[in-house]
Amino acid sequence: MENPVIIALDFENGDKAKEFLTSFEGQSPYVKVGMELFYAEGPSFIKWLKERNFRIFLDLKLHDIPTTVHKAMKVLGGMNVDLVNVHAAGGIQMMKAAKEGLVAVGAHHTKLIAVTQLTSTTQNVLRDELLIQDTSVNDCVVHYAKLAKDSGLDGVVCSVKEANSIKEYCGENFLTVTPGIRPQGSDIHDQARIATPAEAAKMGSDFMVIGRSITQSDQPSDTYQTIINEWRESYENNNRKTFA
Ligand code: C5P
């Protein structure tokens, strides 16, 4: 069983991220570099992490015409990160182009996943702003997951609440990466569809993306370990390994 936590390095610059990572001296947790940090520091920060053996999820959520996404993915593939993503809302052609971009540069090690609906998106936002009517968030997410699977992607970003349905429709090996995780009793911030680490394990989440609960903790390394333990205990109790 893999370590299920990906720490979201949501910092405004590399110095702040590096300072935070000193709490993890001697460990190289799986980390996520998102738009804020990547736009501030660029590929040099990815190189810095790679030299220190961190596993990296480069979360840039590409969403553009297929040709542009294909070319951008060729560049990201060259960075040899572990995980990259696109928005499923870009459609099948765009997702296939993304995958082909990675293949074109030999980035076979880099997994590609699709964002379904952001975990901050509620049923009201879906209906009143996106004009996706008569469809529940869950059905919309499962539909996007199927499109991602048909496009040859390795998995999706989704909320814990949808992970189980996605495993049912797309297979146990289709990755579910779930943000919106909050340990019991912690601040939910701007997330809408949240769950605890124990629920994440029970519902079939492969990786939990966790930002503020760890980055704003007084003892980041202890909080990280507590979250892993809570996930493991629930995973073993719920016997996910035998999920068919
Ligand atoms: O601080 P928090 O744990 O809410 O951080 C969650 C991280 O996951 C953020 O970096 C956010 O951009 C990302 N994310 C998300 N919902 C998605 C996709 C990514 O919250 N659907």
Side-chain angles (χ1 to χ4, degrees):
M1 190 205 330
E2 282 198 87
N3 177 342
V5 177
I6 302 177
I7 303 175
L9 296 180
D10 292 328
F11 294 100
E12 64 196 47
N13 60 47
D15 285 346
K16 292 205 168 141
K18 287 175 189 173
E19 189 189 326
F20 165 75
L21 288 172
T22 58
S23 322
F24 291 88
E25 206 78 60
Q27 312 171 59
S28 296
Y30 203 148
V31 294
K32 179 174 89 71
V33 176
M35 291 183 229
E36 183 186 20
L37 187 52
F38 191 76
Y39 292 156
E41 300 293 340
S44 66
F45 186 69
I46 301 298
K47 192 159 171 271
W48 184 91
L49 289 169
K50 283 213 69 80
E51 283 164 1
R52 285 154 187 80
N53 296 319
F54 287 94
R55 293 181 73 196
I56 304 163
F57 171 17
L58 186 51
D59 177 25
L60 299 181
K61 300 187 179 73
L62 274 58
H63 190 176
D64 208 319
I65 58 170
T67 307
T68 303
V69 169
H70 178 84
K71 289 178 181 170
M73 269 301 163
K74 281 166 86 174
V75 179
L76 299 188
M79 292 182 201
N80 200 20
V81 293
D82 299 275
L83 195 57
V84 290
N85 60 358
V86 294
H87 268 283
I92 289 178
Q93 287 310 321
M94 191 207 74
M95 287 192 274
K96 284 186 173 168
K99 183 78 190 173
E100 284 159 14
L102 292 177
V103 171
V105 295
H108 304 294
H109 157 84
T110 304
K111 292 208 172 359
L112 173 63
I113 59 176
V115 176
T116 52
Q117 288 292 349
L118 298 172
T119 41
S120 52
T121 300
T122 60
Q123 191 67 53
N124 288 349
V125 170
L126 203 68
R127 189 190 58 227
D128 301 335
E129 298 179 24
L130 305 183
L131 294 186
I132 298 175
Q133 282 151 358
D134 306 323
T135 306
S136 67
V137 174
N138 191 80
D139 287 352
C140 183
V141 168
V142 172
H143 176 64
Y144 282 9
K146 285 190 211 154
L147 297 183
K149 166 110 179 148
D150 291 346
S151 306
L153 270 59
D154 300 293
V156 285
V157 184
C158 62
S159 93
V160 165
K161 315 272 181 225
E162 296 116 15
N164 203 42
S165 318
I166 289 170
K167 292 285 188 189
E168 253 176 68
Y169 285 101
C170 300
E172 183 67 4
N173 292 331
F174 193 67
L175 287 178
T176 52
V177 177
T178 59
I181 304 289
R182 292 292 179 273
Q184 211 89 52
S186 57
D187 191 340
I188 75 165
H189 305 105
D190 57 348
Q191 296 283 17
R193 310 199 316 280
I194 57 156
T196 63
E199 286 166 334
K202 187 174 170 196
M203 298 293 281
S205 158
D206 294 300
F207 290 103
M208 300 178 285
V209 174
I210 308 188
R212 289 162 287 187
S213 299
I214 296 177
T215 57
Q216 293 180 6
S217 162
D218 293 336
Q219 307 283 343
S221 181
D222 291 353
T223 305
Y224 171 71
Q225 205 49 58
T226 305
I227 289 170
I228 293 175
N229 294 344
E230 183 184 329
W231 189 94
R232 284 225 163 106
E233 194 183 323
S234 167
Y235 183 91
E236 279 154 20
N237 289 342
N238 290 289
N239 207 12
R240 282 301 307 184
K241 271 165 278 187
T242 60
F243 183 89

